[in-house]
Amino acid sequence: MTAPTRPEVWLRGPVPGIPSALQPVAHALLQSAEDVERACGGLGPALVWRAPGGAATIGFHLKHLAGSTERLFAYARGEALSAAQREALKAEREIPDPLPGGEPLVAAWRDTVARAVRDLTAIDPATLDDARAVGRARLPSTVRGLLFHAAEHAQRHTGQIITTAKILGAPSDEGSPAPAPAPGPSR
């Protein structure tokens, strides 16, 4: 993992072409892409698919980030899930064979973020409170709710990826294994 060399995305100003009401969504997704890249872009399959203490693997989180963002944006557009999206959802929990390292999974996440940011440019802010149905149960949401959930959901999984990478001893900023966490207070 390498230290960031510039300010976080939200401190770099507006993302061109994104309506002001959706800038936080763009900022969160772009930050997630950068953080994921730093945390695990160069990780090999052994670390990407290890489940420390039974936690979800980095590979699962990366597949889920891409798939869930695609699904949430589809719902925001008022679309039902495609057959490919439903298949991707099923495949998220499967361990692929052969096991990919971090690079192709991070690339897929970067591509998803690029498409999502491009989609944000086409959203009319007047539609943000339009009703949308989610899933087979057609649970109620809005365009705004889906887009903001996509952003916070990405941040949540990004945090899990970073933490898991540190627990697994992924290379730190100096290129050496990350130190083990300090023990908590004894009780």
Side-chain angles (χ1 to χ4, degrees):
M1 286 179 267
T2 59
T5 58
R6 51 189 204 164
E8 290 189 355
V9 175
W10 68 277
L11 292 170
R12 297 180 205 158
V15 178
I18 306 293
S20 61
L22 296 175
Q23 287 289 327
V25 175
H27 288 150
L29 291 171
L30 291 166
Q31 188 67 54
S32 174
E34 289 182 14
D35 290 347
V36 163
E37 178 88 36
R38 267 192 304 281
C40 60
L43 295 182
L47 291 179
V48 170
W49 297 101
R50 188 173 299 153
T57 67
I58 290 170
F60 162 76
H61 287 296
L62 287 169
K63 287 174 25 176
H64 183 64
L65 270 172
S68 63
T69 302
E70 293 278 355
R71 291 187 295 274
L72 290 165
F73 270 71
Y75 290 136
R77 290 187 301 270
E79 300 169 1
L81 296 185
S82 68
Q85 288 169 321
R86 288 192 303 276
E87 285 303 312
L89 175 60
K90 288 179 194 173
E92 284 176 13
R93 295 218 177 259
E94 297 171 1
I95 305 294
D97 184 23
L99 296 175
E103 291 298 333
L105 297 169
V106 170
W109 174 230
R110 269 194 316 265
D111 291 347
T112 299
V113 169
R115 282 189 303 278
V117 170
R118 191 171 49 250
D119 284 357
L120 290 173
T121 66
I123 294 174
D124 178 355
T127 67
L128 291 177
D129 293 320
D130 288 1
R132 294 291 187 261
V134 179
R136 290 184 183 148
R138 302 195 47 81
L139 298 172
S141 189
T142 61
V143 173
R144 181 189 318 266
L146 285 155
L147 297 175
F148 277 81
H149 179 64
E152 69 85 17
H153 186 258
Q155 287 292 299
R156 185 182 330 154
H157 283 278
T158 297
Q160 291 173 308
I161 287 168
I162 292 166
T163 300
T164 302
K166 287 181 179 183
I167 289 168
L168 292 173
S172 68
D173 298 343
E174 293 79 38
S176 59
S186 35
R187 299 205 180 199

